[in-house]
Amino acid sequence: MDRGRPHIAVVGGGWSGLAAAVRATERGARVTLFEASRQWGGRARTLESGASTDQDNGQHILIGAYTETLALMAQLGVALPEALQAQALSLRFPDGSGLHTPGWAQRWPAPLDALAAILLARGWSWTDRLGLLRATTAWRWRGFACPADWTVARLCAGLPPRVLQDMVEPMCVSALNTPPERASAQVFLRVLKDSLMGRGYPGYRPAQMLLPRQDLGALVPKPALAWLQQRGAQARAGCRVTALRHTPTGTHWRLDWVSEGITEADDFDAVLLACTATEAARLVESAFAQTGFTPEAARWVGMARGLRYEPIATVYATAHPTHAGGGTSPLWPADTALMALRSSACHPAQFVFNRSRLLGLALQPLQVAFVVSAASTDKSALEQAIAEQALSQLDWRLELQQTVVEKRATFACEPGLQRPPASMAGLAGLWVAGDYVAGPYPATLEGAVRSGQQAVDGLLEEQRQQQLQAQ
Ligand SMILES: Cc1cc2nc3c(=O)[nH]c(=O)nc-3n(C[C@H](O)[C@H](O)[C@H](O)COP(=O)(O)OP(=O)(O)OC[C@H]3O[C@@H](n4cnc5c(N)ncnc54)[C@H](O)[C@@H]3O)c2cc1C
């Protein structure tokens, strides 16, 4: 092996693995990237349907505060304005009520744009507006910090019911994918702080919503693979890594993988596990099969296996108006491609996206996607409930196209959650990345990308230190 140029195996071709592979290649390492599935992108991927517009495994939203994801896309040559529709913070319901940043305030610096949205929220009384302003000012004074065991429901207990329904619940569910009664207030406050007070990627304000105008594959997976292949990195889809162990000399890691039923193996200077938490735990276990666990590794596996998950379902459909007043297309506000919905046990969707507008398709018939966080995993019951919700809240008759239920969409972001760290003491050359790895963010694309990049930086620094010691 070339000692000056470490050979790194990255296991998992989701956004964390792709970001890690790009970072490692950029920093001069030789990279082999393994992905178990035939498709790249993991939980943010395009489904191969053969139809003219490919559907994703789930509708995703980015925000301007996703600085590392947006920088990665730009590095890969993705034209951001063409790939993402930027719109001001908007949590408006079909009746026009809720938060929406007016056009004239959209150029104001953060958090003044959010202030305008709060002061002009439709359907809110002055008690609602002032209640929210008082609470956000108090959170800001306390440095957006709170006790680790608080839930979002506890943090927001004094807020008026309208603010809870129109803002806290949709924001909590969309950012943490965990209902306020079970969601971590600390993580919620961190998200709020970064979107209100943080920095946005150049050209974007942090709270700005960025809605994909192309399929998810076009945002990172496809351009990342092209970028990697141009620079000599190996990218192997359909290769499931099955085991991991130290080589007899103890200086390298040997990886076994299965591709088309054939088991192969090779040695690497270092391994980055960017697969799911369950798979990473299984592979860490395999590394200790001969020797028995170290306490550190046993703790790591316990944390990874102890994560609980929340589902997300996406219901793709064509919407037909039923309103008695006639008209040929369902009503949709001109300045947004996303509407919040009143959700309940019988009407489970929290959001509906206008895919016709986002993807530049014909507006009739209208193509839409309903998003249901913490969804029931019974598809037919879910589809029936969404059809009823569309009829009662939007006056639409739905023609269902496809429903994708991701049972383990994100980890449940609960108070006091212990997330596994990116490395284990005494286990050189083995690092871990993924949205679930210890960090300040909930399970997001930005969390995944940052984790992949930071793990590579840690791994290469560790290699550098080892080389210095060996000299
Ligand atoms: C429906 C849905 C909607 C979402 N909406 C949003 C949103 O709006 N905004 C947002 O920021 N985030 C959203 N998320 C979360 C976001 O998609 C994830 O946080 C992110 O994609 C996680 O990336 P990852 O690389 O950490 O993990 P993953 O995407 O899970 O990648 C792990 C990869 O490892 C592969 N793998 C597993 N085992 C092996 C093995 N043994 N060998 C080789 N490969 C292996 C898997 O096939 C997978 O491709 C959503 C998620 C879902 C499911």
PDB file of all heavy atoms in Angstrom, residues 121-146:
ATOM      1  N   ALA A 121     -48.941  37.098  11.112  1.00  0.00           N
ATOM      2  CA  ALA A 121     -49.531  35.747  10.980  1.00  0.00           C
ATOM      3  C   ALA A 121     -51.054  35.853  10.918  1.00  0.00           C
ATOM      4  O   ALA A 121     -51.669  36.448  11.805  1.00  0.00           O
ATOM      5  CB  ALA A 121     -49.100  34.883  12.161  1.00  0.00           C
ATOM      6  N   ARG A 122     -51.640  35.256   9.870  1.00  0.00           N
ATOM      7  CA  ARG A 122     -53.103  35.366   9.710  1.00  0.00           C
ATOM      8  C   ARG A 122     -53.820  34.393  10.618  1.00  0.00           C
ATOM      9  O   ARG A 122     -53.376  33.279  10.829  1.00  0.00           O
ATOM     10  CB  ARG A 122     -53.481  35.123   8.250  1.00  0.00           C
ATOM     11  CG  ARG A 122     -53.276  36.408   7.465  1.00  0.00           C
ATOM     12  CD  ARG A 122     -53.705  36.308   6.044  1.00  0.00           C
ATOM     13  NE  ARG A 122     -55.076  35.865   5.876  1.00  0.00           N
ATOM     14  CZ  ARG A 122     -55.577  35.527   4.687  1.00  0.00           C
ATOM     15  NH1 ARG A 122     -54.827  35.577   3.612  1.00  0.00           N
ATOM     16  NH2 ARG A 122     -56.820  35.149   4.576  1.00  0.00           N
ATOM     17  N   GLY A 123     -54.925  34.886  11.199  1.00  0.00           N
ATOM     18  CA  GLY A 123     -55.719  34.042  12.092  1.00  0.00           C
ATOM     19  C   GLY A 123     -55.212  34.072  13.521  1.00  0.00           C
ATOM     20  O   GLY A 123     -55.772  33.411  14.383  1.00  0.00           O
ATOM     21  N   TRP A 124     -54.122  34.813  13.778  1.00  0.00           N
ATOM     22  CA  TRP A 124     -53.565  34.879  15.128  1.00  0.00           C
ATOM     23  C   TRP A 124     -54.044  36.157  15.807  1.00  0.00           C
ATOM     24  O   TRP A 124     -54.117  37.220  15.170  1.00  0.00           O
ATOM     25  CB  TRP A 124     -52.036  34.914  15.091  1.00  0.00           C
ATOM     26  CG  TRP A 124     -51.368  33.620  14.704  1.00  0.00           C
ATOM     27  CD1 TRP A 124     -51.909  32.617  13.944  1.00  0.00           C
ATOM     28  CD2 TRP A 124     -50.030  33.211  15.031  1.00  0.00           C
ATOM     29  NE1 TRP A 124     -50.989  31.600  13.777  1.00  0.00           N
ATOM     30  CE2 TRP A 124     -49.829  31.938  14.436  1.00  0.00           C
ATOM     31  CE3 TRP A 124     -48.990  33.772  15.762  1.00  0.00           C
ATOM     32  CZ2 TRP A 124     -48.628  31.236  14.541  1.00  0.00           C
ATOM     33  CZ3 TRP A 124     -47.796  33.072  15.869  1.00  0.00           C
ATOM     34  CH2 TRP A 124     -47.623  31.809  15.272  1.00  0.00           C
ATOM     35  N   SER A 125     -54.315  36.059  17.112  1.00  0.00           N
ATOM     36  CA  SER A 125     -54.663  37.260  17.878  1.00  0.00           C
ATOM     37  C   SER A 125     -53.361  37.922  18.335  1.00  0.00           C
ATOM     38  O   SER A 125     -52.280  37.311  18.244  1.00  0.00           O
ATOM     39  CB  SER A 125     -55.487  36.859  19.096  1.00  0.00           C
ATOM     40  OG  SER A 125     -54.663  36.118  19.972  1.00  0.00           O
ATOM     41  N   TRP A 126     -53.477  39.130  18.899  1.00  0.00           N
ATOM     42  CA  TRP A 126     -52.264  39.788  19.436  1.00  0.00           C
ATOM     43  C   TRP A 126     -51.707  39.008  20.612  1.00  0.00           C
ATOM     44  O   TRP A 126     -50.508  38.973  20.844  1.00  0.00           O
ATOM     45  CB  TRP A 126     -52.535  41.251  19.781  1.00  0.00           C
ATOM     46  CG  TRP A 126     -52.456  42.058  18.510  1.00  0.00           C
ATOM     47  CD1 TRP A 126     -53.494  42.548  17.785  1.00  0.00           C
ATOM     48  CD2 TRP A 126     -51.254  42.368  17.783  1.00  0.00           C
ATOM     49  NE1 TRP A 126     -53.031  43.154  16.645  1.00  0.00           N
ATOM     50  CE2 TRP A 126     -51.662  43.061  16.614  1.00  0.00           C
ATOM     51  CE3 TRP A 126     -49.899  42.126  17.978  1.00  0.00           C
ATOM     52  CZ2 TRP A 126     -50.748  43.519  15.665  1.00  0.00           C
ATOM     53  CZ3 TRP A 126     -48.988  42.584  17.037  1.00  0.00           C
ATOM     54  CH2 TRP A 126     -49.411  43.270  15.898  1.00  0.00           C
ATOM     55  N   THR A 127     -52.586  38.336  21.375  1.00  0.00           N
ATOM     56  CA  THR A 127     -52.091  37.491  22.484  1.00  0.00           C
ATOM     57  C   THR A 127     -51.202  36.375  21.929  1.00  0.00           C
ATOM     58  O   THR A 127     -50.160  36.056  22.497  1.00  0.00           O
ATOM     59  CB  THR A 127     -53.299  36.862  23.231  1.00  0.00           C
ATOM     60  OG1 THR A 127     -54.249  37.883  23.448  1.00  0.00           O
ATOM     61  CG2 THR A 127     -52.899  36.198  24.523  1.00  0.00           C
ATOM     62  N   ASP A 128     -51.614  35.789  20.786  1.00  0.00           N
ATOM     63  CA  ASP A 128     -50.807  34.718  20.176  1.00  0.00           C
ATOM     64  C   ASP A 128     -49.444  35.266  19.752  1.00  0.00           C
ATOM     65  O   ASP A 128     -48.404  34.687  20.057  1.00  0.00           O
ATOM     66  CB  ASP A 128     -51.516  34.145  18.938  1.00  0.00           C
ATOM     67  CG  ASP A 128     -52.861  33.516  19.268  1.00  0.00           C
ATOM     68  OD1 ASP A 128     -53.006  33.027  20.403  1.00  0.00           O
ATOM     69  OD2 ASP A 128     -53.760  33.531  18.400  1.00  0.00           O
ATOM     70  N   ARG A 129     -49.472  36.394  19.028  1.00  0.00           N
ATOM     71  CA  ARG A 129     -48.212  36.945  18.486  1.00  0.00           C
ATOM     72  C   ARG A 129     -47.267  37.342  19.616  1.00  0.00           C
ATOM     73  O   ARG A 129     -46.088  36.992  19.612  1.00  0.00           O
ATOM     74  CB  ARG A 129     -48.505  38.176  17.627  1.00  0.00           C
ATOM     75  CG  ARG A 129     -49.302  37.839  16.398  1.00  0.00           C
ATOM     76  CD  ARG A 129     -49.625  39.074  15.599  1.00  0.00           C
ATOM     77  NE  ARG A 129     -50.441  38.696  14.468  1.00  0.00           N
ATOM     78  CZ  ARG A 129     -51.611  39.224  14.161  1.00  0.00           C
ATOM     79  NH1 ARG A 129     -52.114  40.194  14.898  1.00  0.00           N
ATOM     80  NH2 ARG A 129     -52.276  38.810  13.116  1.00  0.00           N
ATOM     81  N   LEU A 130     -47.833  38.080  20.612  1.00  0.00           N
ATOM     82  CA  LEU A 130     -46.963  38.549  21.706  1.00  0.00           C
ATOM     83  C   LEU A 130     -46.466  37.381  22.561  1.00  0.00           C
ATOM     84  O   LEU A 130     -45.334  37.386  23.030  1.00  0.00           O
ATOM     85  CB  LEU A 130     -47.697  39.579  22.571  1.00  0.00           C
ATOM     86  CG  LEU A 130     -47.997  40.879  21.804  1.00  0.00           C
ATOM     87  CD1 LEU A 130     -48.824  41.833  22.652  1.00  0.00           C
ATOM     88  CD2 LEU A 130     -46.708  41.554  21.346  1.00  0.00           C
ATOM     89  N   GLY A 131     -47.314  36.355  22.698  1.00  0.00           N
ATOM     90  CA  GLY A 131     -46.912  35.159  23.466  1.00  0.00           C
ATOM     91  C   GLY A 131     -45.692  34.513  22.821  1.00  0.00           C
ATOM     92  O   GLY A 131     -44.724  34.154  23.500  1.00  0.00           O
ATOM     93  N   LEU A 132     -45.710  34.394  21.492  1.00  0.00           N
ATOM     94  CA  LEU A 132     -44.576  33.767  20.797  1.00  0.00           C
ATOM     95  C   LEU A 132     -43.335  34.664  20.878  1.00  0.00           C
ATOM     96  O   LEU A 132     -42.222  34.176  21.123  1.00  0.00           O
ATOM     97  CB  LEU A 132     -44.943  33.496  19.320  1.00  0.00           C
ATOM     98  CG  LEU A 132     -43.821  32.912  18.478  1.00  0.00           C
ATOM     99  CD1 LEU A 132     -43.291  31.600  19.064  1.00  0.00           C
ATOM    100  CD2 LEU A 132     -44.277  32.668  17.036  1.00  0.00           C
ATOM    101  N   LEU A 133     -43.533  35.986  20.716  1.00  0.00           N
ATOM    102  CA  LEU A 133     -42.370  36.897  20.771  1.00  0.00           C
ATOM    103  C   LEU A 133     -41.736  36.870  22.162  1.00  0.00           C
ATOM    104  O   LEU A 133     -40.510  36.843  22.286  1.00  0.00           O
ATOM    105  CB  LEU A 133     -42.790  38.320  20.402  1.00  0.00           C
ATOM    106  CG  LEU A 133     -43.092  38.506  18.909  1.00  0.00           C
ATOM    107  CD1 LEU A 133     -43.563  39.919  18.630  1.00  0.00           C
ATOM    108  CD2 LEU A 133     -41.857  38.171  18.068  1.00  0.00           C
ATOM    109  N   ARG A 134     -42.589  36.833  23.194  1.00  0.00           N
ATOM    110  CA  ARG A 134     -42.056  36.772  24.568  1.00  0.00           C
ATOM    111  C   ARG A 134     -41.238  35.488  24.763  1.00  0.00           C
ATOM    112  O   ARG A 134     -40.122  35.521  25.282  1.00  0.00           O
ATOM    113  CB  ARG A 134     -43.208  36.784  25.584  1.00  0.00           C
ATOM    114  CG  ARG A 134     -43.348  38.143  26.303  1.00  0.00           C
ATOM    115  CD  ARG A 134     -44.193  38.017  27.557  1.00  0.00           C
ATOM    116  NE  ARG A 134     -45.501  37.434  27.308  1.00  0.00           N
ATOM    117  CZ  ARG A 134     -46.583  38.128  26.954  1.00  0.00           C
ATOM    118  NH1 ARG A 134     -46.514  39.453  26.848  1.00  0.00           N
ATOM    119  NH2 ARG A 134     -47.733  37.542  26.743  1.00  0.00           N
ATOM    120  N   ALA A 135     -41.782  34.381  24.280  1.00  0.00           N
ATOM    121  CA  ALA A 135     -41.084  33.089  24.490  1.00  0.00           C
ATOM    122  C   ALA A 135     -39.765  33.071  23.718  1.00  0.00           C
ATOM    123  O   ALA A 135     -38.733  32.673  24.266  1.00  0.00           O
ATOM    124  CB  ALA A 135     -41.975  31.937  24.033  1.00  0.00           C
ATOM    125  N   THR A 136     -39.777  33.525  22.452  1.00  0.00           N
ATOM    126  CA  THR A 136     -38.526  33.459  21.663  1.00  0.00           C
ATOM    127  C   THR A 136     -37.477  34.402  22.254  1.00  0.00           C
ATOM    128  O   THR A 136     -36.291  34.079  22.263  1.00  0.00           O
ATOM    129  CB  THR A 136     -38.756  33.782  20.163  1.00  0.00           C
ATOM    130  OG1 THR A 136     -39.634  34.879  20.072  1.00  0.00           O
ATOM    131  CG2 THR A 136     -39.314  32.620  19.410  1.00  0.00           C
ATOM    132  N   THR A 137     -37.936  35.560  22.778  1.00  0.00           N
ATOM    133  CA  THR A 137     -36.968  36.480  23.405  1.00  0.00           C
ATOM    134  C   THR A 137     -36.354  35.813  24.633  1.00  0.00           C
ATOM    135  O   THR A 137     -35.141  35.880  24.835  1.00  0.00           O
ATOM    136  CB  THR A 137     -37.672  37.796  23.816  1.00  0.00           C
ATOM    137  OG1 THR A 137     -38.436  38.236  22.715  1.00  0.00           O
ATOM    138  CG2 THR A 137     -36.685  38.875  24.215  1.00  0.00           C
ATOM    139  N   ALA A 138     -37.179  35.137  25.441  1.00  0.00           N
ATOM    140  CA  ALA A 138     -36.658  34.459  26.649  1.00  0.00           C
ATOM    141  C   ALA A 138     -35.675  33.348  26.251  1.00  0.00           C
ATOM    142  O   ALA A 138     -34.612  33.195  26.851  1.00  0.00           O
ATOM    143  CB  ALA A 138     -37.814  33.880  27.456  1.00  0.00           C
ATOM    144  N   TRP A 139     -36.019  32.568  25.195  1.00  0.00           N
ATOM    145  CA  TRP A 139     -35.100  31.490  24.758  1.00  0.00           C
ATOM    146  C   TRP A 139     -33.773  32.088  24.312  1.00  0.00           C
ATOM    147  O   TRP A 139     -32.714  31.563  24.593  1.00  0.00           O
ATOM    148  CB  TRP A 139     -35.711  30.691  23.592  1.00  0.00           C
ATOM    149  CG  TRP A 139     -36.961  29.945  23.964  1.00  0.00           C
ATOM    150  CD1 TRP A 139     -37.343  29.549  25.226  1.00  0.00           C
ATOM    151  CD2 TRP A 139     -38.000  29.508  23.096  1.00  0.00           C
ATOM    152  NE1 TRP A 139     -38.548  28.890  25.174  1.00  0.00           N
ATOM    153  CE2 TRP A 139     -38.976  28.847  23.885  1.00  0.00           C
ATOM    154  CE3 TRP A 139     -38.236  29.585  21.717  1.00  0.00           C
ATOM    155  CZ2 TRP A 139     -40.128  28.283  23.341  1.00  0.00           C
ATOM    156  CZ3 TRP A 139     -39.374  29.021  21.168  1.00  0.00           C
ATOM    157  CH2 TRP A 139     -40.315  28.392  21.985  1.00  0.00           C
ATOM    158  N   ARG A 140     -33.880  33.236  23.614  1.00  0.00           N
ATOM    159  CA  ARG A 140     -32.650  33.869  23.125  1.00  0.00           C
ATOM    160  C   ARG A 140     -31.786  34.347  24.298  1.00  0.00           C
ATOM    161  O   ARG A 140     -30.573  34.166  24.313  1.00  0.00           O
ATOM    162  CB  ARG A 140     -33.050  35.054  22.236  1.00  0.00           C
ATOM    163  CG  ARG A 140     -31.913  35.498  21.378  1.00  0.00           C
ATOM    164  CD  ARG A 140     -32.305  36.624  20.481  1.00  0.00           C
ATOM    165  NE  ARG A 140     -31.096  37.336  20.076  1.00  0.00           N
ATOM    166  CZ  ARG A 140     -31.079  38.400  19.353  1.00  0.00           C
ATOM    167  NH1 ARG A 140     -32.212  38.911  18.922  1.00  0.00           N
ATOM    168  NH2 ARG A 140     -29.946  38.993  19.049  1.00  0.00           N
ATOM    169  N   TRP A 141     -32.441  34.947  25.305  1.00  0.00           N
ATOM    170  CA  TRP A 141     -31.711  35.432  26.490  1.00  0.00           C
ATOM    171  C   TRP A 141     -30.988  34.289  27.190  1.00  0.00           C
ATOM    172  O   TRP A 141     -29.914  34.457  27.733  1.00  0.00           O
ATOM    173  CB  TRP A 141     -32.666  36.120  27.471  1.00  0.00           C
ATOM    174  CG  TRP A 141     -32.783  37.572  27.167  1.00  0.00           C
ATOM    175  CD1 TRP A 141     -33.821  38.197  26.534  1.00  0.00           C
ATOM    176  CD2 TRP A 141     -31.819  38.595  27.462  1.00  0.00           C
ATOM    177  NE1 TRP A 141     -33.564  39.527  26.392  1.00  0.00           N
ATOM    178  CE2 TRP A 141     -32.338  39.807  26.964  1.00  0.00           C
ATOM    179  CE3 TRP A 141     -30.570  38.595  28.087  1.00  0.00           C
ATOM    180  CZ2 TRP A 141     -31.664  41.014  27.076  1.00  0.00           C
ATOM    181  CZ3 TRP A 141     -29.891  39.794  28.198  1.00  0.00           C
ATOM    182  CH2 TRP A 141     -30.436  40.990  27.696  1.00  0.00           C
ATOM    183  N   ARG A 142     -31.614  33.119  27.173  1.00  0.00           N
ATOM    184  CA  ARG A 142     -30.987  31.964  27.854  1.00  0.00           C
ATOM    185  C   ARG A 142     -30.037  31.214  26.921  1.00  0.00           C
ATOM    186  O   ARG A 142     -29.665  30.071  27.178  1.00  0.00           O
ATOM    187  CB  ARG A 142     -32.066  30.992  28.339  1.00  0.00           C
ATOM    188  CG  ARG A 142     -32.827  31.556  29.520  1.00  0.00           C
ATOM    189  CD  ARG A 142     -33.808  30.508  30.088  1.00  0.00           C
ATOM    190  NE  ARG A 142     -34.965  31.207  30.609  1.00  0.00           N
ATOM    191  CZ  ARG A 142     -36.209  31.064  30.168  1.00  0.00           C
ATOM    192  NH1 ARG A 142     -36.481  30.213  29.202  1.00  0.00           N
ATOM    193  NH2 ARG A 142     -37.182  31.752  30.690  1.00  0.00           N
ATOM    194  N   GLY A 143     -29.678  31.862  25.807  1.00  0.00           N
ATOM    195  CA  GLY A 143     -28.699  31.242  24.884  1.00  0.00           C
ATOM    196  C   GLY A 143     -29.268  30.008  24.199  1.00  0.00           C
ATOM    197  O   GLY A 143     -28.511  29.116  23.814  1.00  0.00           O
ATOM    198  N   PHE A 144     -30.584  29.937  24.001  1.00  0.00           N
ATOM    199  CA  PHE A 144     -31.240  28.792  23.368  1.00  0.00           C
ATOM    200  C   PHE A 144     -30.840  27.489  24.068  1.00  0.00           C
ATOM    201  O   PHE A 144     -30.581  26.485  23.416  1.00  0.00           O
ATOM    202  CB  PHE A 144     -30.918  28.726  21.863  1.00  0.00           C
ATOM    203  CG  PHE A 144     -31.575  29.822  21.067  1.00  0.00           C
ATOM    204  CD1 PHE A 144     -30.891  30.997  20.781  1.00  0.00           C
ATOM    205  CD2 PHE A 144     -32.882  29.694  20.616  1.00  0.00           C
ATOM    206  CE1 PHE A 144     -31.501  32.019  20.060  1.00  0.00           C
ATOM    207  CE2 PHE A 144     -33.496  30.703  19.889  1.00  0.00           C
ATOM    208  CZ  PHE A 144     -32.805  31.867  19.620  1.00  0.00           C
ATOM    209  N   ALA A 145     -30.731  27.559  25.400  1.00  0.00           N
ATOM    210  CA  ALA A 145     -30.365  26.344  26.164  1.00  0.00           C
ATOM    211  C   ALA A 145     -31.510  25.990  27.103  1.00  0.00           C
ATOM    212  O   ALA A 145     -32.289  26.864  27.513  1.00  0.00           O
ATOM    213  CB  ALA A 145     -29.102  26.610  26.971  1.00  0.00           C
ATOM    214  N   CYS A 146     -31.616  24.718  27.450  1.00  0.00           N
ATOM    215  CA  CYS A 146     -32.612  24.283  28.439  1.00  0.00           C
ATOM    216  C   CYS A 146     -32.154  22.951  29.018  1.00  0.00           C
ATOM    217  O   CYS A 146     -31.242  22.318  28.465  1.00  0.00           O
ATOM    218  CB  CYS A 146     -33.997  24.151  27.789  1.00  0.00           C
ATOM    219  SG  CYS A 146     -34.158  22.701  26.763  1.00  0.00           S
TER     220      CYS A 146
END
